[in-house]
mmCIF file of all heavy atoms in Angstrom:
data_model
loop_
_atom_site.group_PDB
_atom_site.id
_atom_site.type_symbol
_atom_site.label_atom_id
_atom_site.label_comp_id
_atom_site.label_asym_id
_atom_site.label_seq_id
_atom_site.Cartn_x
_atom_site.Cartn_y
_atom_site.Cartn_z
ATOM 1 N N MET A 1 36.922 -25.834 -6.256
ATOM 2 C CA MET A 1 36.684 -27.265 -6.508
ATOM 3 C C MET A 1 37.206 -27.764 -7.826
ATOM 4 O O MET A 1 37.295 -28.951 -8.069
ATOM 5 C CB MET A 1 35.178 -27.589 -6.401
ATOM 6 C CG MET A 1 34.583 -27.429 -5.005
ATOM 7 S SD MET A 1 32.845 -27.892 -4.966
ATOM 8 C CE MET A 1 32.163 -26.536 -5.884
ATOM 9 N N ALA A 7 35.465 -37.614 -17.954
ATOM 10 C CA ALA A 7 35.267 -38.994 -17.549
ATOM 11 C C ALA A 7 34.532 -39.137 -16.214
ATOM 12 O O ALA A 7 34.055 -40.225 -15.887
ATOM 13 C CB ALA A 7 36.606 -39.720 -17.460
ATOM 14 N N ALA A 25 18.076 -43.827 3.353
ATOM 15 C CA ALA A 25 19.545 -43.878 3.183
ATOM 16 C C ALA A 25 19.860 -43.537 1.731
ATOM 17 O O ALA A 25 19.464 -44.258 0.810
ATOM 18 C CB ALA A 25 20.042 -45.291 3.537
ATOM 19 N N TYR A 101 28.149 -35.689 10.463
ATOM 20 C CA TYR A 101 27.816 -34.314 10.668
ATOM 21 C C TYR A 101 26.323 -34.148 10.969
ATOM 22 O O TYR A 101 25.491 -34.811 10.371
ATOM 23 C CB TYR A 101 28.165 -33.483 9.417
ATOM 24 C CG TYR A 101 29.651 -33.456 9.153
ATOM 25 C CD1 TYR A 101 30.252 -34.373 8.290
ATOM 26 C CD2 TYR A 101 30.486 -32.494 9.735
ATOM 27 C CE1 TYR A 101 31.602 -34.363 8.056
ATOM 28 C CE2 TYR A 101 31.828 -32.460 9.500
ATOM 29 C CZ TYR A 101 32.416 -33.403 8.658
ATOM 30 O OH TYR A 101 33.754 -33.347 8.409
ATOM 31 N N ILE A 109 21.199 -36.607 19.667
ATOM 32 C CA ILE A 109 20.513 -37.909 19.541
ATOM 33 C C ILE A 109 21.451 -38.909 18.904
ATOM 34 O O ILE A 109 21.522 -40.082 19.322
ATOM 35 C CB ILE A 109 19.242 -37.756 18.698
ATOM 36 C CG1 ILE A 109 18.243 -36.779 19.354
ATOM 37 C CG2 ILE A 109 18.583 -39.103 18.474
ATOM 38 C CD1 ILE A 109 17.750 -37.230 20.714
ATOM 39 N N VAL A 127 27.479 -28.960 13.378
ATOM 40 C CA VAL A 127 27.654 -27.967 12.363
ATOM 41 C C VAL A 127 26.669 -26.810 12.510
ATOM 42 O O VAL A 127 25.603 -26.954 13.058
ATOM 43 C CB VAL A 127 27.480 -28.588 10.939
ATOM 44 C CG1 VAL A 127 28.509 -29.663 10.669
ATOM 45 C CG2 VAL A 127 26.086 -29.153 10.749
ATOM 46 N N ASP A 174 6.133 -23.996 7.132
ATOM 47 C CA ASP A 174 5.541 -23.532 8.390
ATOM 48 C C ASP A 174 6.266 -22.309 8.858
ATOM 49 O O ASP A 174 7.458 -22.377 9.143
ATOM 50 C CB ASP A 174 5.616 -24.656 9.421
ATOM 51 C CG ASP A 174 4.746 -24.387 10.646
ATOM 52 O OD1 ASP A 174 4.370 -23.194 10.843
ATOM 53 O OD2 ASP A 174 4.474 -25.322 11.434
ATOM 54 N N GLN A 316 0.418 -50.125 27.519
ATOM 55 C CA GLN A 316 0.432 -50.565 28.900
ATOM 56 C C GLN A 316 -0.740 -50.018 29.687
ATOM 57 O O GLN A 316 -1.397 -50.752 30.486
ATOM 58 C CB GLN A 316 1.773 -50.174 29.584
ATOM 59 C CG GLN A 316 3.010 -50.647 28.874
ATOM 60 C CD GLN A 316 3.311 -52.127 29.141
ATOM 61 O OE1 GLN A 316 2.553 -52.790 29.875
ATOM 62 N NE2 GLN A 316 4.362 -52.639 28.632
ATOM 63 N N TYR A 322 0.255 -48.958 34.452
ATOM 64 C CA TYR A 322 1.645 -48.702 34.062
ATOM 65 C C TYR A 322 2.296 -47.882 35.145
ATOM 66 O O TYR A 322 1.850 -46.768 35.433
ATOM 67 C CB TYR A 322 1.703 -48.000 32.695
ATOM 68 C CG TYR A 322 3.115 -47.806 32.171
ATOM 69 C CD1 TYR A 322 3.983 -48.863 32.024
ATOM 70 C CD2 TYR A 322 3.595 -46.528 31.845
ATOM 71 C CE1 TYR A 322 5.263 -48.695 31.537
ATOM 72 C CE2 TYR A 322 4.876 -46.353 31.329
ATOM 73 C CZ TYR A 322 5.708 -47.440 31.180
ATOM 74 O OH TYR A 322 6.991 -47.245 30.706
ATOM 75 N N ILE A 348 -6.281 -48.919 16.752
ATOM 76 C CA ILE A 348 -7.669 -49.211 17.009
ATOM 77 C C ILE A 348 -7.847 -50.146 18.168
ATOM 78 O O ILE A 348 -8.745 -50.014 19.003
ATOM 79 C CB ILE A 348 -8.370 -49.723 15.751
ATOM 80 C CG1 ILE A 348 -8.486 -48.580 14.715
ATOM 81 C CG2 ILE A 348 -9.755 -50.279 16.041
ATOM 82 C CD1 ILE A 348 -8.938 -49.067 13.347
#
Side-chain angles (χ1 to χ4, degrees):
M1 291 183 291
Y101 294 92
I109 300 298
V127 297
D174 191 343
Q316 302 282 3
Y322 184 56
I348 291 171

